[in-house]
Amino acid sequence: MWCHRLSHLQSRLQNLLRRGVTCWAFQQLNFKSLFPLAIHWHHTASESLNCAWQQHEDHFELQYANTVMRFDYVWLRDHCRSASCYNSKTHQRSLDTASVDLCIKPKTIRLDETTLFFTWPDGHVTKYDLDWLVRNSYEGQKQKVIQPRILWNAEIYQRAQVPSVDFQSFLETNEGLKNFLQNFLLYGIAFVENVPPTQEHTEKLAERVSLIRETIYGRMWYFTSDFSRGDTAYTKLALDRHTDTTYFQEPCGIQVFHCLKHEGTGGRTLLVDGFYAAEQVLQKAPEEFELLTKVPLKHEYIENVGECHNHMIGVGPVLNIYPWNKELYLIRFSKEKKNMVNRQQGSSLQSYIPKRTLTYSHLISRTSNEYRQSLI
């Protein structure tokens, strides 16, 4: 099999898709309950725009698109997108952040259609589109899903009948690449059929999507049951459910597996949606979900076989979430590579984490969650 680390799929798919996939909803807010005191808002003349704002001593408050947002004046000045502050060709800031007065306040604020203009004490003018502020506000980010997903168990995935993509179509057409990326980003797995069993063709497939990452195993590698790397993966023993490279500080996010040769029976690949299992924990035992996102565990890899001498330790929680919207983005789970959990570290959370890990392990081990696929 050949294994690869790929990244940056979302931007590729967005370039291919005319219409994005969205699956979030904005919560309707009760502004009166948020602001019980008598305050003075600046309202727009247009009723359809439904925009209002208020200036505070150290921040700007904006009500727009059913969202109440707060922006510090320093943030507004520092994120100015004018030609003197921001290079739109390189997408890099030109303004020296240290030069911004920490007590800065705008002299005037005005709205022209859907653009807000801030005039600063030195006369510099910063302008922001209202929709840009929503997208880049903390309040807007809390409501935004970074990666829409379809969570699945075996029944859901089989019922979906997600089609594979033909190798030639994948390589030669944008439609084939788009179909593959859609499947992968929504379900977490995708299949390409009729790939010639050679290193060269596997490499072409990987490079069609993104860059290949160099690791301790090399840029690309194959393995068989010869115990050449002193790991269970290099034997005929069945591997339990796990995520690979948990011992990396940045575990691999994407892998490509290609069966080049098969003799005998067995060898089916076992697939489980770890995000589906995590959602089950969140719904049934939210306090356990929280523990699995907070307590870091060590995963260790020790290799002393032949000329290969590696000792790596990765540290992180089982479930990794974005702090602003609590969306799960990475799972670090491998009972084979998990190091000892020291119960004497003075943290009450640490004492409970082995049991919570077992709860998650039991969920992903359910037969109903397992999907098996032959790569032959």
Side-chain angles (χ1 to χ4, degrees), residues 212-228:
I212 301 174
R213 182 181 184 180
E214 186 82 25
T215 70
I216 60 171
Y217 305 103
R219 186 169 179 270
M220 297 178 63
W221 75 97
Y222 68 90
F223 57 92
T224 187
S225 55
D226 58 4
F227 204 63
S228 61

Side-chain angles (χ1 to χ4, degrees), residues 184-208:
F184 181 80
L185 290 173
L186 287 177
Y187 292 94
I189 57 175
F191 296 94
V192 180
E193 292 183 334
N194 303 318
V195 184
T198 67
Q199 173 185 350
E200 292 75 21
H201 288 90
T202 310
E203 188 170 3
K204 283 182 180 180
L205 183 148
E207 291 178 333
R208 174 71 165 141

Side-chain angles (χ1 to χ4, degrees), residues 4 6 9 12-13 16 163-185 189-196 200-210 254-256:
H4 317 273
L6 311 178
L9 292 188
R12 294 293 305 276
L13 181 58
L16 293 167
S164 300
V165 179
D166 180 73
F167 179 62
Q168 288 303 123
S169 174
F170 174 82
L171 277 188
E172 299 173 1
T173 70
N174 283 339
E175 185 69 19
L177 177 60
K178 183 187 76 172
N179 291 337
F180 172 85
L181 295 179
Q182 280 183 313
N183 294 341
F184 181 80
L185 290 173
I189 57 175
F191 296 94
V192 180
E193 292 183 334
N194 303 318
V195 184
E200 292 75 21
H201 288 90
T202 310
E203 188 170 3
K204 283 182 180 180
L205 183 148
E207 291 178 333
R208 174 71 165 141
V209 179
S210 186
I254 304 161
Q255 292 176 284
V256 173

Side-chain angles (χ1 to χ4, degrees), residues 240-306:
D240 204 349
R241 305 130 193 93
H242 67 281
T243 58
D244 279 339
T245 62
T246 53
Y247 43 86
F248 285 3
Q249 284 299 334
E250 183 192 3
C252 62
I254 304 161
Q255 292 176 284
V256 173
F257 292 91
H258 186 193
C259 185
L260 302 181
K261 184 179 179 181
H262 182 266
E263 295 178 353
T265 60
R268 287 194 301 168
T269 296
L270 170 61
L271 299 166
V272 178
D273 186 355
F275 288 81
Y276 176 88
E279 180 66 19
Q280 300 302 302
V281 177
L282 178 60
Q283 296 300 325
K284 297 176 181 178
E287 71 286 351
E288 296 192 10
F289 180 90
E290 185 177 6
L291 283 173
L292 290 172
T293 66
K294 286 186 174 181
V295 180
L297 296 179
K298 289 196 297 184
H299 289 81
E300 186 174 24
Y301 178 70
I302 301 175
E303 179 184 32
N304 285 302
V305 177

Side-chain angles (χ1 to χ4, degrees), residues 137-176:
S137 68
Y138 176 74
E139 295 80 6
Q141 289 292 317
K142 284 200 302 182
Q143 302 176 78
K144 180 181 179 182
V145 175
I146 303 300
Q147 175 54 58
R149 293 182 176 91
I150 296 177
L151 306 182
W152 54 268
N153 57 17
E155 181 184 358
I156 293 172
Y157 189 78
Q158 290 171 339
R159 193 167 60 239
Q161 296 186 328
V162 183
S164 300
V165 179
D166 180 73
F167 179 62
Q168 288 303 123
S169 174
F170 174 82
L171 277 188
E172 299 173 1
T173 70
N174 283 339
E175 185 69 19

